[in-house]
Each structure stands twice: as C-alpha cells, then as structure tokens.
Amino acid sequence: MAVACGRGFTTMVTEQGDVWACGKGEHGVLGLGTDAHQLLPALVGGACGVFDGEAVVLVAAGREHTACVSLKGTLWSWGNGEDGRLGHGDEESRQRPQRLHRDMHGGSPAVMVSCGNL
C-alpha cells in the first residue's frame, strides 16, 4: 500500500492497485468528480474504470493536486491545474484523474511521480 498526503487530504493505493481518497475535496484533489469533502475513504473512479483497468502502483500528492503511476507506466493527474502543474498543457483543474499521454513526457513509461507543495 502507498499513501500520499496533501493539504487536508489523503490518497491511498491498495495492494490490488485501487486508489482511495478522503479529506478536503477542493479543486477536485480527491479525484471523485466533485469539490466536496469526503469523511471516509472513497474509491477514485468507482466502477467506471477511470484508470483503464490498469493497476496503480504509486501515488503522489501536492498542496492541491494528485498524480499516480500505473503498473504499465501510465501517468495520471488531477486537482488544481494552476500554473500547468498537472502537465496537460493548460491551467484547467480536473476533478477526475486524466491520463497524460506518453508523448507529453518523452514517450517512455513513467516509473515515478512527485508533486510539489509550494
């Protein structure tokens, strides 16, 4: 299991590769499709298969954003997109995880991700 903590929220990855989140939901940092706070851990993506069936192995949390890497090296990010911190080429916030296509980070599979807090 992996755990990452941001400003007022926690994100967890289970041994099965599922992502769970709880805490303050501002800017969509929980990845649950809303800005609402979540008092108990909730499954990110629920039954809608947000990670395309790929098991997540690593999660990182910044002050107001979250990112993760799947077993296949796919990188996902969500939350506050200010200053381009999500890596999608814009400043849009995202309330659900969105894939970063490999060509956006050199074409190779991702093996690690980290988020800043400043």
Side-chain angles (χ1 to χ4, degrees):
M1 178 180 239
V3 176
C5 299
R7 187 179 75 180
F9 70 97
T10 303
T11 308
M12 302 144 274
V13 177
T14 67
E15 290 179 358
Q16 294 77 28
D18 295 321
V19 179
W20 293 74
C22 60
K24 287 185 175 183
E26 296 167 348
H27 305 288
V29 296
L30 301 179
L32 302 173
T34 178
D35 288 336
H37 300 336
Q38 183 69 35
L39 299 179
L40 295 171
L43 182 61
V44 175
C48 64
V50 70
F51 298 109
D52 296 337
E54 297 180 28
V56 172
V57 294
L58 178 73
V59 66
R63 183 177 176 109
E64 297 176 336
H65 65 298
T66 308
C68 69
V69 176
S70 76
L71 188 60
K72 293 182 179 181
T74 305
L75 184 60
W76 303 79
S77 66
W78 61 96
N80 186 347
E82 185 177 4
D83 300 321
R85 69 186 76 182
L86 298 180
H88 297 285
D90 57 37
E91 294 189 79
E92 298 295 317
S93 294
R94 286 157 172 90
Q95 293 183 336
R96 292 197 184 277
Q98 183 170 339
R99 171 191 294 240
L100 280 99
H101 295 283
R102 288 190 181 162
D103 60 340
M104 298 176 89
H105 54 89
S108 298
V111 295
M112 181 174 264
V113 66
S114 179
C115 297
N117 284 315
L118 299 177

